[in-house]
Every structure is written in structure tokens, then in C-alpha cells.
């Protein structure tokens, strides 16, 4: 769980940084949360196709995300969910992330885990951001990004916490 929450710039090639804005006041609750400013670069293919149709895409896009997570050590599972929110201390943000999440399930006594990612995408918004790209190109771009995440994550050490 900590790899997903705190080491994203190491496994997400588009993530430029994550800055904590606010966090749950008490760590004793089983469900934790925080609000972060997540800065990402726009995928090169989206910038290229936007330029081809005469539009300048933002090279860096800041998001404000609410993240919540729960760890069940007894069951060997964890969940991390996030989505965009407005927060007075986030500064100017131009990106928006629909609900998404990670499910972690410990597979055996050898610390192997099953990792699942699920996300909702707003195709209308993505078409506006990725001007000049077909729906198929947008889907392939997103799939390529996620495949890269899993490739990088598989090379990292993980724990359920």
C-alpha cells in the first residue's frame, strides 16, 4: 500500500510529484484519507496530436485528489481509492480524475500479491484534452500507461501496509 501511496513518481512515468495538503486527524481509524496535489505531465502523444490540430496542450497538469484507503491485515487485503476534489489549499488545478482505485490481495505466505486497478474515464473530457486523437487512440494511450505502471510496480518491493 505504501508503494502505491508514497512512491508514485517511481512507478508512474507521468507523475512529477505528490504534495500532501491535508490528512485525517487520527490514525486510529481503520479507514484513512488524505488530500494531495498531484502534478503530472501530459502524455507526449496527446501533446503531439493536439499540436497537429492547432491547439497547445498543457505540458504539466496539476490535480487535487482525495485518497482514502483501508488495510485489513487479517484478511491480507487493502484498498486505495481516489478522485478529484476541490480544496482551498490546492492552488490552481486544471486536471480532473474520475473515481479510480487499487485492490491488493495477498496471495500466499510468500508475500506474493494480486494487484487490480479500476478506473472510470470521462471520454467526452478526454476527447477535449486529446484533440485529434480517435477514441481508439485514447483507449490505447491509457492502456499503455497502465501497462507501464504494472511493469514498473512488478519490479518494486511491496507490502500490504
Amino acid at each position: 500500500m505504501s508503494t502505491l501511496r508514497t512512491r508514485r513518481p517511481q512507478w508512474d512515468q507521468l507523475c512529477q510529484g505528490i504534495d500532501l495538503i491535508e490528512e485525517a486527524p487520527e490514525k486510529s481509524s481503520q479507514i484513512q484519507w488524505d488530500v494531495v496535489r498531484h502534478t503530472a505531465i501530459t502524455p507526449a502523444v496527446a501533446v503531439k496530436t493536439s499540436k497537429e490540430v492547432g491547439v497547445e496542450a498543457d505540458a504539466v497538469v496539476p490535480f487535487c485528489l482525495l485518497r482514502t484507503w483501508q488495510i485489513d491485515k487479517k484478511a491480507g487485503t487493502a484498498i486505495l481509492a481516489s478522485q478529484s476534489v476541490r480544496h482551498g489549499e490546492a492552488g490552481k488545478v486544471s486536471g480532473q480524475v474520475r473515481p479510480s482505485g487499487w485492490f491488493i490481495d495477498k496471495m500466499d505466505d510468500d508475500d506474493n500479491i494480486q494487484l487490480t486497478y479500476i478506473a472510470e474515464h470521462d471520454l467526452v473530457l478526454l476527447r477535449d484534452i486529446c484533440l485529434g486523437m480517435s477514441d481508439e487512440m485514447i483507449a490505447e494511450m491509457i492502456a499503455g500507461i497502465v501497462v507501464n505502471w504494472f511493469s514498473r510496480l512488478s519490479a518494486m518491493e511491496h507490502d500490504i501496509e
Side-chain angles (χ1 to χ4, degrees), residues 8-71:
R8 188 165 187 146
Q10 294 173 341
W11 56 265
D12 180 351
Q13 70 275 22
L14 301 178
C15 180
Q16 298 298 291
I18 297 175
D19 299 307
L20 181 66
I21 296 173
E22 183 180 357
E23 62 186 330
E26 252 184 65
K27 298 274 187 202
S28 61
S29 171
Q30 195 173 7
I31 299 175
Q32 300 294 312
W33 62 268
D34 63 18
V35 178
V36 296
R37 181 181 171 90
H38 174 172
T39 305
I41 60 172
T42 301
V45 66
V47 172
K48 179 180 182 274
T49 56
S50 293
K51 284 182 180 177
E52 289 172 359
V53 295
V55 176
E56 193 69 31
D58 292 335
V60 177
V61 181
F63 301 89
C64 181
L65 300 177
L66 168 64
R67 304 183 306 177
T68 185
W69 60 96
Q70 181 176 13
I71 300 168

Side-chain angles (χ1 to χ4, degrees), residues 76-141:
T77 61
I79 299 170
L80 171 66
S82 63
Q83 76 173 43
S84 288
V85 293
R86 293 182 182 167
H87 193 288
E89 296 177 29
K92 183 181 179 200
V93 294
S94 56
Q96 179 181 334
V97 175
R98 303 291 299 162
S100 63
W102 295 89
F103 301 95
I104 304 169
D105 194 6
K106 188 172 179 183
M107 300 299 293
D108 52 39
D109 291 335
D110 292 330
D111 292 329
N112 292 322
I113 62 169
Q114 178 176 336
L115 185 61
T116 304
Y117 176 70
I118 187 167
E120 176 183 321
H121 293 282
D122 181 341
L123 190 54
V124 173
L125 178 63
L126 286 169
R127 287 176 185 145
D128 287 344
I129 294 169
C130 303
L131 292 171
M133 292 179 72
S134 67
D135 291 355
E136 183 177 349
M137 288 175 65
I138 293 170
E140 287 175 0
M141 175 187 70

